[in-house]
Amino acid sequence: MRIYNKIVHKEKRRELRKKQTPAENKLWNEIRNKKTGFMFYRQYSVDKYILDFYCPSVKLAIEFDGPYHKDIEQKEYDKIRTELLNDLKIEVIRFTNQTVITNIEEVLNSIKNHAAKLLQS
Protein backbone atom coordinates (compact mmCIF):
# COMPACT_ATOMS: atom_id res chain seq x y z
CA MET A 1 0.00 0.00 0.00
CA ARG A 2 1.33 3.41 -0.97
CA ILE A 3 1.77 5.80 1.96
CA TYR A 4 3.93 8.54 0.40
CA ASN A 5 2.48 11.36 -1.72
CA LYS A 6 -0.85 9.69 -2.30
CA ILE A 7 -2.72 10.98 -5.34
CA VAL A 8 -5.72 11.78 -3.11
CA HIS A 9 -3.62 14.51 -1.43
CA LYS A 10 -2.13 15.97 -4.62
CA GLU A 11 -4.46 18.96 -4.94
CA LYS A 12 -4.20 19.80 -1.22
CA ARG A 13 -0.40 19.67 -1.40
CA ARG A 14 -0.44 21.97 -4.41
CA GLU A 15 -2.78 24.38 -2.63
CA LEU A 16 -0.57 24.46 0.47
CA ARG A 17 2.52 25.20 -1.63
CA LYS A 18 0.73 28.19 -3.15
CA LYS A 19 -0.27 29.49 0.30
CA GLN A 20 3.04 29.21 2.14
CA THR A 21 3.42 31.34 5.24
CA PRO A 22 6.28 33.88 5.31
CA ALA A 23 8.20 31.54 7.63
CA GLU A 24 7.71 28.54 5.33
CA ASN A 25 8.79 30.63 2.36
CA LYS A 26 11.89 31.86 4.17
CA LEU A 27 12.98 28.36 5.16
CA TRP A 28 12.16 26.90 1.74
CA ASN A 29 14.46 29.46 0.11
CA GLU A 30 17.26 28.25 2.40
CA ILE A 31 16.82 24.48 2.04
CA ARG A 32 15.65 24.00 -1.55
CA ASN A 33 17.91 22.46 -4.19
CA LYS A 34 20.12 20.69 -1.64
CA LYS A 35 21.48 23.93 -0.17
CA THR A 36 21.89 22.08 3.14
CA GLY A 37 23.41 19.05 1.44
CA PHE A 38 20.09 17.21 1.76
CA MET A 39 17.13 17.14 -0.63
CA PHE A 40 13.95 18.43 0.99
CA TYR A 41 10.47 18.47 -0.47
CA ARG A 42 7.71 20.80 0.64
CA GLN A 43 4.16 19.71 1.38
CA TYR A 44 5.04 16.03 1.17
CA SER A 45 2.38 13.58 2.27
CA VAL A 46 2.95 10.55 4.46
CA ASP A 47 -0.09 8.38 5.11
CA LYS A 48 -2.95 10.82 5.77
CA TYR A 49 -0.71 13.73 6.83
CA ILE A 50 0.93 16.47 4.80
CA LEU A 51 4.33 17.47 6.15
CA ASP A 52 5.62 21.01 5.77
CA PHE A 53 9.04 19.77 4.63
CA TYR A 54 10.47 16.28 4.30
CA CYS A 55 13.85 14.74 3.49
CA PRO A 56 13.28 11.11 2.44
CA SER A 57 16.96 10.13 2.41
CA VAL A 58 17.24 10.57 6.19
CA LYS A 59 13.52 10.43 7.06
CA LEU A 60 13.43 13.90 8.61
CA ALA A 61 10.24 15.96 8.76
CA ILE A 62 10.23 19.67 9.53
CA GLU A 63 7.02 21.09 10.94
CA PHE A 64 6.00 24.64 11.71
CA ASP A 65 4.05 25.58 14.79
CA GLY A 66 1.92 28.67 14.40
CA PRO A 67 -0.22 30.18 17.17
CA TYR A 68 -3.00 27.60 16.76
CA HIS A 69 -0.59 24.83 17.81
CA LYS A 70 -0.97 26.04 21.40
CA ASP A 71 -4.59 24.88 21.39
CA ILE A 72 -5.15 21.71 23.45
CA GLU A 73 -6.91 19.88 20.62
CA GLN A 74 -4.17 20.81 18.17
CA LYS A 75 -1.48 19.65 20.60
CA GLU A 76 -3.20 16.27 20.87
CA TYR A 77 -3.51 16.03 17.07
CA ASP A 78 0.19 16.92 16.69
CA LYS A 79 1.12 14.28 19.28
CA ILE A 80 -0.81 11.53 17.48
CA ARG A 81 0.61 12.63 14.15
CA THR A 82 4.18 12.63 15.46
CA GLU A 83 3.72 9.17 17.00
CA LEU A 84 2.54 7.76 13.66
CA LEU A 85 5.50 9.34 11.87
CA ASN A 86 7.90 8.03 14.52
CA ASP A 87 6.41 4.55 14.05
CA LEU A 88 7.42 4.90 10.38
CA LYS A 89 10.95 5.82 11.58
CA ILE A 90 10.48 9.46 10.57
CA GLU A 91 11.98 11.98 12.98
CA VAL A 92 10.00 15.20 13.39
CA ILE A 93 11.55 18.51 14.36
CA ARG A 94 9.37 21.53 15.03
CA PHE A 95 10.00 25.24 14.83
CA THR A 96 7.78 28.17 15.56
CA ASN A 97 7.15 30.58 12.74
CA GLN A 98 8.71 33.29 14.89
CA THR A 99 11.96 31.36 15.35
CA VAL A 100 12.32 30.85 11.60
CA ILE A 101 11.69 34.52 10.89
CA THR A 102 14.00 35.87 13.60
CA ASN A 103 16.75 33.23 13.80
CA ILE A 104 17.06 31.38 10.50
CA GLU A 105 20.73 30.47 11.11
CA GLU A 106 19.86 28.60 14.32
CA VAL A 107 17.09 26.77 12.48
CA LEU A 108 19.38 25.82 9.59
CA ASN A 109 22.07 24.57 11.99
CA SER A 110 19.51 22.46 13.82
CA ILE A 111 18.23 20.96 10.56
CA LYS A 112 21.74 20.17 9.31
CA ASN A 113 22.70 18.60 12.65
CA HIS A 114 19.57 16.44 12.77
CA ALA A 115 20.00 15.32 9.16
CA ALA A 116 23.69 14.51 9.65
CA LYS A 117 22.90 12.53 12.81
CA LEU A 118 20.20 10.55 11.00
CA LEU A 119 22.52 9.88 8.08
CA GLN A 120 25.01 8.26 10.45
CA SER A 121 22.45 6.05 12.18
Side-chain angles (χ1 to χ4, degrees), residues 34 36-41 44 54-61 89 115-116 118-121:
K34 291 188 175 182
T36 60
F38 298 92
M39 179 61 106
F40 282 90
Y41 298 90
Y44 192 94
Y54 182 62
C55 178
S57 64
V58 293
K59 291 191 157 196
L60 177 63
K89 308 295 186 232
L118 291 168
L119 188 62
Q120 294 173 355
S121 58

Coordinates of all heavy atoms in Angstrom, one line a residue, residues 34 36-41 44 54-61 89 115-116 118-121:
K34 N 19.0 21.3 -2.4 CA 20.1 20.7 -1.6 C 21.1 21.7 -1.1 O 22.3 21.4 -0.9 CB 20.9 19.7 -2.5 CG 20.1 18.4 -2.8 CD 21.1 17.5 -3.5 CE 20.4 16.1 -3.8 NZ 21.3 15.2 -4.4
T36 N 21.4 22.6 1.9 CA 21.9 22.1 3.1 C 22.7 20.8 2.9 O 23.3 20.3 3.9 CB 20.7 21.7 4.1 OG1 19.9 20.7 3.5 CG2 19.9 23.0 4.4
G37 N 22.8 20.3 1.7 CA 23.4 19.0 1.4 C 22.4 17.9 1.4 O 22.8 16.8 1.1
F38 N 21.2 18.2 1.7 CA 20.1 17.2 1.8 C 18.9 17.7 0.9 O 18.6 18.9 0.9 CB 19.6 17.0 3.2 CG 20.7 16.4 4.1 CD1 21.5 17.3 4.8 CD2 20.9 15.1 4.2 CE1 22.5 16.8 5.7 CE2 21.9 14.5 5.0 CZ 22.7 15.4 5.7
M39 N 18.3 16.8 0.2 CA 17.1 17.1 -0.6 C 15.8 17.1 0.2 O 15.4 16.1 0.7 CB 17.0 16.2 -1.8 CG 15.8 16.5 -2.7 SD 15.9 18.1 -3.4 CE 16.4 17.7 -5.1
F40 N 15.2 18.3 0.3 CA 14.0 18.4 1.0 C 12.9 18.7 0.0 O 13.1 19.3 -1.1 CB 14.0 19.6 2.0 CG 14.7 19.3 3.3 CD1 16.1 19.5 3.4 CD2 14.0 18.7 4.3 CE1 16.7 19.2 4.6 CE2 14.7 18.4 5.5 CZ 16.0 18.7 5.6
Y41 N 11.7 18.2 0.3 CA 10.5 18.5 -0.5 C 9.5 19.2 0.4 O 9.5 19.0 1.6 CB 9.8 17.2 -0.9 CG 10.7 16.4 -1.8 CD1 11.6 15.4 -1.3 CD2 10.7 16.6 -3.2 CE1 12.5 14.7 -2.2 CE2 11.6 15.9 -4.0 CZ 12.5 15.0 -3.5 OH 13.3 14.3 -4.3
Y44 N 4.9 17.4 1.5 CA 5.0 16.0 1.2 C 4.1 15.2 2.0 O 4.1 15.4 3.3 CB 6.5 15.6 1.4 CG 6.9 14.3 0.9 CD1 7.6 14.3 -0.4 CD2 6.8 13.1 1.6 CE1 8.0 13.1 -0.9 CE2 7.2 11.9 1.1 CZ 7.8 11.9 -0.2 OH 8.3 10.7 -0.7
Y54 N 10.1 17.7 4.0 CA 10.5 16.3 4.3 C 11.7 15.9 3.5 O 11.8 16.3 2.3 CB 9.3 15.3 3.9 CG 9.7 13.9 4.2 CD1 9.9 13.4 5.5 CD2 9.7 12.9 3.2 CE1 10.2 12.1 5.8 CE2 10.0 11.6 3.4 CZ 10.3 11.2 4.8 OH 10.6 9.9 5.0
C55 N 12.6 15.3 4.1 CA 13.9 14.7 3.5 C 13.8 13.2 3.5 O 14.1 12.6 4.6 CB 15.1 15.3 4.2 SG 16.6 14.6 3.5
P56 N 13.4 12.6 2.4 CA 13.3 11.1 2.4 C 14.6 10.3 2.7 O 14.5 9.3 3.3 CB 12.7 10.8 1.1 CG 12.4 12.0 0.4 CD 13.0 13.2 1.2
S57 N 15.7 10.9 2.3 CA 17.0 10.1 2.4 C 17.3 9.9 3.9 O 18.0 8.9 4.2 CB 18.1 10.8 1.7 OG 18.4 12.1 2.3
V58 N 16.9 10.8 4.8 CA 17.2 10.6 6.2 C 16.0 10.5 7.0 O 16.1 10.4 8.3 CB 18.2 11.7 6.7 CG1 19.5 11.6 6.1 CG2 17.6 13.1 6.6
K59 N 14.8 10.5 6.4 CA 13.5 10.4 7.1 C 13.4 11.5 8.1 O 13.1 11.2 9.3 CB 13.3 9.0 7.6 CG 13.1 8.0 6.5 CD 12.6 6.7 7.1 CE 11.9 5.9 6.0 NZ 11.1 4.9 6.6
L60 N 13.5 12.8 7.7 CA 13.4 13.9 8.6 C 12.3 14.8 8.1 O 12.3 15.2 7.0 CB 14.7 14.7 8.6 CG 14.7 16.0 9.5 CD1 14.5 15.7 11.0 CD2 16.1 16.7 9.3
A61 N 11.4 15.0 9.0 CA 10.2 16.0 8.8 C 10.5 17.3 9.5 O 10.9 17.2 10.7 CB 8.9 15.3 9.2
K89 N 9.5 5.5 11.5 CA 10.9 5.8 11.6 C 11.3 7.2 11.0 O 12.4 7.5 10.5 CB 11.8 4.8 10.9 CG 11.6 3.3 11.4 CD 11.9 3.2 12.8 CE 11.8 1.7 13.3 NZ 11.0 1.5 14.4
A115 N 19.8 16.1 10.4 CA 20.0 15.3 9.2 C 21.3 14.5 9.2 O 21.3 13.4 8.8 CB 19.9 16.2 7.9
A116 N 22.4 15.2 9.6 CA 23.7 14.5 9.6 C 23.7 13.3 10.6 O 24.2 12.3 10.4 CB 24.8 15.5 10.0
L118 N 21.0 11.6 11.6 CA 20.2 10.5 11.0 C 20.9 9.8 9.9 O 20.8 8.6 9.7 CB 18.9 11.1 10.5 CG 17.9 11.6 11.6 CD1 16.8 12.4 10.9 CD2 17.4 10.5 12.4
L119 N 21.7 10.5 9.1 CA 22.5 9.9 8.1 C 23.5 8.9 8.6 O 23.8 7.8 8.0 CB 23.3 11.0 7.3 CG 24.0 10.5 6.0 CD1 23.0 10.0 5.0 CD2 24.7 11.7 5.4
Q120 N 24.0 9.1 9.8 CA 25.0 8.3 10.5 C 24.4 7.1 11.1 O 25.0 6.1 11.4 CB 25.8 9.0 11.5 CG 26.7 10.1 10.8 CD 27.4 11.0 11.9 OE1 27.2 10.8 13.1 NE2 28.3 11.8 11.4
S121 N 23.1 7.2 11.5 CA 22.4 6.0 12.2 C 21.9 5.0 11.3 O 21.9 5.0 10.1 CB 21.3 6.6 13.1 OG 20.4 7.3 12.4

